[in-house]
Amino acid sequence: MNIKVITTNEGKNHYLQQVESVSFIHQTDAAMEAVNIYPEITYQTISGFGGAFTEAMAYNVLGLPETKQDALIADYFGEQGIGYNLCRTHINSCDFALGNYAYVEDETDTAFATFDISRDKKYIIPVIKKAQAVTKEPIAFLASPWSPPAFMKTTGEMNHGGKLKPECQKAWAQYIAKYIKTYKEEGIEISMITVQNEPEAVQTWDSCVYTSEEEMIFVRDYLGPIFEEEGLEDVKIFVWDHNKERLYERTRDILKDEKANRYVSGIGFHWYTGDHFEAVQMVRDIYPDKELLFTEGCVEYSRFAQANAVQKANMYAHDMIGNFNSGMNGYIDWNMVLDHKGGPNHVGNFCDAPIMCNEEQTDYEKRLTYYYIGHFSKYIKKGAKRIATTKYTADLDVVGFVNPDDEKVIVVLNRTSEAKHITLREEQRYAKVTVEPQAIYTFIYQ
């Protein structure tokens, strides 16, 4: 039986390139340097892969010539692309917007008669529709607020943190429900929301702070009940949406309330404070009925401006493999497209993205991270299950999946400077393969 081999190796100019296949042979003796595969042991179900439709992303796409717009969207969502089907967007503005904005600016408008998404209709919605037109399957959308309108906050501004005014909690929940219904009128189903992006971060950009108790109360007494009243019970509510190092205690402190627990479908998390794969595993073990989504991650220029392309791509693949092995269900990258500076960003918080436009805004470049993400998103299908694997060395990152059609997908990352000669082993089936240094491989077989 043949094993399809796909690799990305910057040193050899291989980018999601299928190379010579290898074959299983029947063998009974011990395998040295083995990567063992146990398809009968299954774990979490995979919900999908994708990135974020921010205003900055959409502004960049729409600034390209139309043929390049279509090609870029196809690179992510088209049949020959990397299979994106799970995406995020923002409620009101975020840092990767052209400036602060809210859908209601008039604090006397308690009925939201002036609710206006014309800003989204100019940028985000047209690009989402381009993606919807070429994708093979419906895109699932997660929406996250960075800040309520300024008049609902204790500080009177969207930036620099602050809190939601207690007397505005019901109105803010109704506002989120209004957003979901308004987007549905545009043909975009928001099936998931997070309560707040990074609720423990006071940022120079759009931000709003919640303690665990405040987030729990908002879900329990306002957001959950309002969704029931508005016929939005099927919209999943995710909490936290912040870094992994506090993932467990935030989950614990919210879900210990039985009523809040009933409304919460899952927990979102980011990567900016390091691996903390153990935290993901703890939440998976203790709350097996909750969905775990990676909701944001990117290479920040403020910390990693000097990192080279391989280092950045390794950051992505290492984190994805570690999170999947710890129980993550789905993966959402941050901005899908940025300009040559890593923006636009209305406070200069520039970052890297898997696709970057050139300075003239006439073309775009797929960065190495795009191909590394594609080693997962292009081949691991929605509904796949993670399967058990073991490996002989910590020098390799390894994860395995079985797709709904019983196809097995094994991803192996070699972050070292030495080639690894490994044996892929499933029971008495053995295949000898070489994993080149600083490269990623996807092995596919039945």
Side-chain angles (χ1 to χ4, degrees), residues 76-89:
Y76 275 125
F77 297 95
E79 193 157 348
Q80 302 305 313
I82 60 171
Y84 274 14
N85 57 12
L86 174 65
C87 291
R88 190 183 188 212
T89 192

Side-chain angles (χ1 to χ4, degrees), residues 276-302:
H276 294 285
F277 301 134
E278 302 88 347
V280 181
Q281 187 70 60
M282 288 161 63
V283 175
R284 167 56 61 219
D285 291 343
I286 296 169
Y287 305 98
D289 61 323
K290 303 303 181 186
E291 192 170 350
L292 290 171
L293 287 184
F294 182 91
T295 48
E296 184 188 313
C298 69
V299 177
E300 310 148 276
Y301 284 166
S302 60

Side-chain angles (χ1 to χ4, degrees), residues 198-264:
E198 299 184 346
E200 286 197 351
V202 175
Q203 306 283 22
T204 57
W205 55 85
D206 324 60
S207 45
C208 186
V209 176
Y210 290 76
T211 65
S212 296
E213 184 177 20
E214 288 165 344
E215 188 173 8
M216 179 273 290
I217 290 171
F218 182 66
V219 170
R220 182 191 69 191
D221 296 345
Y222 300 97
L223 194 61
I226 289 295
F227 277 12
E228 288 179 335
E229 289 177 20
E230 298 282 347
L232 299 173
E233 300 97 325
D234 291 340
V235 177
K236 296 178 180 179
I237 297 172
F238 285 74
V239 295
W240 189 221
D241 201 9
H242 206 163
N243 291 320
K244 285 183 276 181
E245 97 281 358
R246 299 186 187 182
L247 179 64
Y248 166 69
E249 56 260 46
R250 187 71 167 216
T251 303
R252 175 199 65 198
D253 293 347
I254 292 174
L255 299 188
K256 67 184 180 184
D257 184 278
E258 290 185 14
K259 187 178 178 185
N261 191 337
R262 179 166 62 86
Y263 287 124
V264 173

Side-chain angles (χ1 to χ4, degrees), residues 103-116 151-152 171 175 178:
Y103 307 125
V104 176
E105 303 283 3
D106 180 2
E107 64 182 299
T108 67
D109 179 18
T110 56
F112 303 146
T114 60
F115 196 94
D116 181 11
F151 65 83
M152 289 189 184
Y175 186 107
K178 176 80 169 177

